[in-house]
Amino acid sequence: MNEAVELARELIRIDSVGGGEAAVAGPLARRLSDAGFAVREHEHAPEQTPGRTGLVARWGTGEPVTLTGHLDTVPLGGQAWRHAPHGAEIDGDRLYGRGSSDMKAGVAALVVAAERHVRRAGPKVALELVFTVGEETGCEGAAAMVAEGLVGRSRGLLVAEPTANRVLLGHKGALWLEATTRGTTAHGSMPHLGDNAIYKLARVIGAVETFDPGVPEHPWLGPSTVNVGTVRGGINVNSVPDLAAATVDLRTVAGQDHGRLRERLRAALGGEATLDVLVDLPAIWTDPDDPFVRALVEAGAGAPGDRPAASYFTDASILAAACGGAPTVICGPGEPEQAHVTDEYCLVHRIEEAVEIYVAALARFA
């Protein structure tokens, strides 16, 4: 068994569902320190949830290439697993476990590739490895790292999210809002004495349904979209509700201004609701002819093809700007359709393949 697969298995055996990333960061920090990296651990909101530790590791001088992945995983779900979710079982070419594809195999491949890179002969590009917490719930760990100045300018940003080792050039942004309407409560038998917040919210939802984001369709990312995801309001059947709220999921394309979009939606709602920002992550897009893209493709990664964008968002929404607008590529060994599913798996051969791609690409970029 090669070392990247063994490291992936070690990480999968650690339960980091929605927290506890310190147990994952610890062995990674030790390995990278032993390889000569300067390692700094980052505690995210320890007063709220202890044990949420990410890390930044740097090697070499000059502007680095930044390699990134997240250490948290999503909950297991209610359905029974046939393979133990933290057992890291291998069956044929499949490595099973929560986080196998999303994205502990990718993290393991980055670490082993970084170790090999610093040991190889010849010119070597400087490296920065950024391993975050809280990506699955809105990239909070990455945002905190950037706010504290832990991430700097870079020559390129590689995100090892699951792509089956194919190069993806970006993803849509996400602007999640909560629309809240307020009224006056009264007895349900005398509704004329109250002001029904749910009726107001119904009008708001109707306006959201017909809202035009106001930008043309991106040639690769597709259209900017809007969706109402949740609705809540009222406390009992025989009262006029004085509070109601809905969450709105806007997916944006490269170049779309989130502040302007929010103001356009506010105007479309006609003042009936307040809008609070829940998540604000811009879209990511890199030119397919960028040298960083070419280095990965020439190193053996699958070319972007006719579907060159991820369907999910990543920490790149936060990190790319901190890296000075560096070209950003998503490329990792996990299977994209395995993210978040029961009996999640990663193909074993893709893990070592990813290491070889990363090492060859870094050598070319040097």
Side-chain angles (χ1 to χ4, degrees):
M1 195 69 64
N2 69 65
E3 59 182 332
V5 174
E6 281 304 312
L7 178 56
R9 297 183 77 190
E10 179 184 349
L11 302 183
I12 291 165
R13 291 186 182 111
I14 300 169
D15 182 354
S16 56
V17 173
E21 295 96 336
V24 185
L28 301 182
R30 289 189 291 273
R31 285 187 69 132
L32 291 168
S33 181
D34 289 345
F37 284 75
V39 178
R40 179 172 176 180
E41 296 188 353
H42 175 259
E43 300 289 333
H44 176 61
E47 67 286 350
Q48 298 174 15
T49 310
R52 307 212 72 176
T53 303
L55 64 89
V56 177
R58 294 188 176 93
W59 178 89
T61 59
E63 208 164 89
V65 169
T66 301
L67 313 175
T68 190
H70 63 84
L71 307 181
D72 58 318
T73 53
V74 296
L76 303 181
Q79 189 174 347
W81 287 55
R82 291 182 298 108
H83 299 268
H86 299 110
E89 299 172 28
I90 291 180
D91 184 358
D93 192 35
R94 294 181 176 183
L95 168 58
Y96 285 91
R98 175 56 85 222
S100 52
S101 273
D102 186 17
M103 59 172 295
K104 289 179 176 177
V107 168
L110 290 180
V111 170
V112 173
E115 292 169 338
R116 293 185 190 176
H117 174 75
V118 303
R119 292 196 303 261
R120 65 177 291 275
K124 293 186 279 288
V125 67
L127 294 182
E128 177 180 70
L129 279 74
V130 178
F131 293 129
T132 67
V133 306
E135 187 272 351
E136 295 286 6
T137 51
C139 306
E140 296 103 327
M145 284 180 166
V146 169
E148 294 180 32
L150 300 184
V151 181
R153 289 188 63 86
S154 172
R155 294 178 60 189
L157 175 63
L158 173 61
V159 187
E161 289 275 12
T163 71
N165 288 336
R166 182 169 143 248
V167 167
L168 298 183
L169 304 172
H171 56 73
K172 284 185 177 182
L175 178 61
W176 295 352
L177 306 172
E178 183 170 63
T180 303
T181 55
R182 291 174 171 81
T184 304
T185 191
H187 196 282
S189 66
M190 297 175 285
H192 58 285
L193 298 180
D195 182 15
N196 194 309
I198 288 180
Y199 291 162
K200 292 181 179 180
L201 187 65
R203 292 191 290 271
V204 164
I205 292 171
V208 171
E209 183 180 12
T210 59
F211 177 68
D212 179 5
V215 294
E217 183 170 329
H218 189 278
W220 296 112
L221 294 176
S224 178
T225 61
V226 60
N227 179 66
V228 172
T230 67
V231 176
R232 71 178 190 277
I235 53 173
N236 58 308
V237 68
N238 59 334
S239 293
V240 175
D242 62 355
L243 187 69
T247 52
V248 182
D249 180 356
L250 293 140
R251 298 298 170 120
T252 59
V253 299
Q256 195 168 2
D257 184 284
H258 283 195
R260 189 175 304 156
L261 177 64
R262 190 169 64 250
E263 290 309 310
R264 289 187 74 253
L265 179 59
R266 194 188 310 277
L269 301 185
E272 288 224 274
T274 59
L275 290 178
D276 294 306
V277 177
L278 304 177
V279 167
D280 188 350
L281 300 171
I284 295 294
W285 184 253
T286 296
D287 191 300
D289 293 325
D290 188 274
F292 193 50
V293 175
R294 291 202 305 271
L296 281 156
V297 173
E298 291 168 2
D306 59 355
R307 303 181 96 180
S311 59
Y312 45 77
F313 61 71
T314 76
D315 277 328
S317 287
I318 301 294
L319 299 177
C323 290
T328 299
V329 172
I330 308 163
C331 181
E335 300 297 311
E337 71 277 4
Q338 285 297 309
H340 302 189
V341 304
T342 301
D343 284 309
E344 177 185 351
Y345 67 81
C346 177
L347 297 182
V348 172
H349 79 271
R350 290 208 199 278
I351 302 174
E352 178 60 25
E353 180 183 74
V355 174
E356 294 172 356
I357 289 168
Y358 299 158
V359 171
L362 290 171
R364 289 172 182 273
F365 213 57

